Amino acid sequence: MQRRAWGVVLAMIVSAGIAGCGGGDSSSSAAEPSPSVWARPTGSPMTIEPVTTVDGAELFESDGLSVLVPDGWETRRSEQPEFVQIMVLRADDERNPVVLTILAQPGSADVVETTASVASAELAISGATDLEQHPATWSGWRYASGITGVFDQGRDGVVTDFVQVVALSGDGKVVGVTAQAPRGQLDDALSYQVLRSVRPVG
């Protein structure tokens, strides 16, 4: 595990959780849907402040989403039957990508909470510490749940803070986005700006 890029591990956990949830019911017209199956997160509320500009970044659009890609970073897209994964990363820092995992089928608030709960449990099993699941607000998204924690990448890596947000767009798209940075540096990290720039389009 510690030899692998932690961002990829996070994305695999998110996609496994999403794939296990089914598509959910996307027909709800409630402006602020609330999940009916899973308990609400117990961590303090978190707000993801959108980022609309990053110096030198270019806008990348794919699969109904847009994200800002900083100068010197690149995107890598892969596709599975249940989800699409887009990695935004520096070629010289493949252990710490920003990862977007997009569910192929429409979802709901229940799917968001199920995914976040599964991911939180799997992260704990994988060695993450200081885990908290948070009710999240992210302008432009209909519903969101966040997970924060710490992971030690081992001898060949660093100790990172990470944030994972699972969000529901207005048209029912479920997306998991992860970012990480060395301990104590996440709030000001370029990777976190990239995460905050993710928006539904179309």
Side-chain angles (χ1 to χ4, degrees):
M1 169 80 67
Q2 292 175 339
R3 293 172 181 263
R4 305 176 71 177
W6 181 230
V8 176
V9 173
L10 283 171
M12 290 171 65
I13 290 170
V14 171
S15 62
I18 289 177
C21 297
D25 179 7
S26 62
S27 62
S28 173
S29 60
E32 296 181 2
S34 59
S36 59
V37 177
W38 291 83
R40 288 183 177 277
T42 56
S44 59
M46 65 186 299
T47 299
I48 311 299
E49 296 290 350
V51 167
T52 57
T53 60
V54 173
D55 288 346
E58 295 186 358
L59 189 66
F60 174 83
E61 292 189 9
S62 181
D63 302 281
L65 299 179
S66 67
V67 60
L68 291 172
V69 180
D71 185 35
W73 291 47
E74 61 186 64
T75 59
R76 299 177 186 173
R77 182 185 182 278
S78 60
E79 187 171 345
Q80 301 293 331
E82 298 86 4
F83 63 91
V84 170
Q85 186 179 101
I86 299 170
M87 298 173 60
V88 185
L89 74 164
R90 297 197 331 251
D92 61 350
D93 188 23
E94 297 196 1
R95 295 184 68 97
N96 296 291
V98 177
V99 185
L100 291 66
T101 305
I102 308 154
L103 179 62
Q105 298 297 321
S108 64
D110 277 337
V111 174
V112 169
E113 288 299 342
T114 302
T115 300
S117 295
V118 170
S120 184
E122 293 289 347
L123 285 164
I125 293 171
S126 299
T129 59
D130 297 341
L131 281 165
E132 289 189 309
Q133 190 174 338
H134 309 262
T137 302
W138 193 357
S139 179
W141 296 88
R142 184 178 172 193
Y143 187 85
S145 185
I147 301 170
T148 56
V150 176
F151 187 75
D152 186 346
Q153 293 183 341
R155 183 178 60 188
D156 299 326
V158 298
V159 178
T160 65
D161 289 325
F162 66 83
V163 60
Q164 174 176 301
V165 185
V166 184
L168 177 69
S169 70
D171 62 357
K173 187 184 300 296
V174 177
V175 179
V177 190
T178 67
Q180 53 278 322
R183 191 78 193 271
Q185 300 178 30
L186 182 61
D187 287 348
D188 298 320
L190 189 53
S191 59
Y192 188 44
Q193 294 185 52
V194 172
L195 179 151
R196 291 160 54 196
S197 77
V198 175
R199 300 172 60 185
V201 297

